[in-house]
Amino acid sequence: MSLLTADHDMEAAEALVNAAPHLYENIGFQCQQAVEKYAKAVLVASGIPLQFIHNIVTLIRPLQQAGVVSFTQQDFADAATLTEFAVDLRYETDDAPSFTSADLLAMAYRFRTKLRPLAQAFLI
């Protein structure tokens, strides 16, 4: 799992929020991809078996169970929200979102803050 690729996903999400915040499906997808990669990198770095799935909730639960990192109920709710962008909300919808593009980016930032330092050793 490449942290650099996850960082690039975050950079793309940031650029979209700044240039085209109405593209929340694209922003959500980039945020989901980044968090998925950060979580998978921590799983690998921690020696926890990796599942090849896109569900962030399912990916982070073993990290908490193993005591690698602590997540709040809000973290799990955010993980569920971002997971929707892996497939379900990847395509345009007529439904009004219950979050802003900035909210999605803030969710991803919180996960990056928790996960990236734990996977940093994986880069070396």
Side-chain angles (χ1 to χ4, degrees):
M1 296 296 102
S2 170
L3 292 179
L4 184 59
T5 304
D7 291 343
H8 287 168
D9 290 336
M10 288 293 294
E11 187 177 339
E14 292 165 356
L16 282 169
V17 166
N18 291 327
H22 63 284
L23 299 176
Y24 65 89
E25 294 98 343
N26 301 82
I27 293 163
F29 179 73
Q30 293 300 323
C31 290
Q32 184 281 334
Q33 287 290 289
V35 174
E36 178 183 331
K37 289 174 181 120
Y38 290 132
K40 287 180 176 179
V42 176
L43 286 164
V44 169
S46 301
I48 298 172
L50 175 64
Q51 297 182 48
F52 292 97
I53 59 172
H54 302 293
N55 188 313
I56 298 168
V57 174
T58 303
L59 290 169
I60 66 173
R61 189 169 285 122
L63 294 171
Q64 179 154 307
Q65 291 169 339
V68 173
V69 63
S70 180
F71 294 105
T72 65
Q73 286 301 107
Q74 186 60 55
D75 290 332
F76 281 103
D78 291 348
T81 296
L82 291 174
T83 293
E84 292 180 27
F85 287 92
V87 178
D88 296 345
L89 295 179
R90 179 68 179 106
Y91 302 97
E92 186 176 351
T93 177
D94 291 332
D95 297 336
S98 57
F99 39 78
T100 66
S101 295
D103 293 335
L104 296 171
L105 189 58
M107 292 176 201
Y109 279 143
R110 287 191 295 274
F111 280 108
R112 180 176 70 179
T113 299
K114 283 188 177 196
L115 296 172
R116 195 181 195 294
L118 298 172
Q120 187 68 35
F122 188 67
L123 275 179
I124 299 169

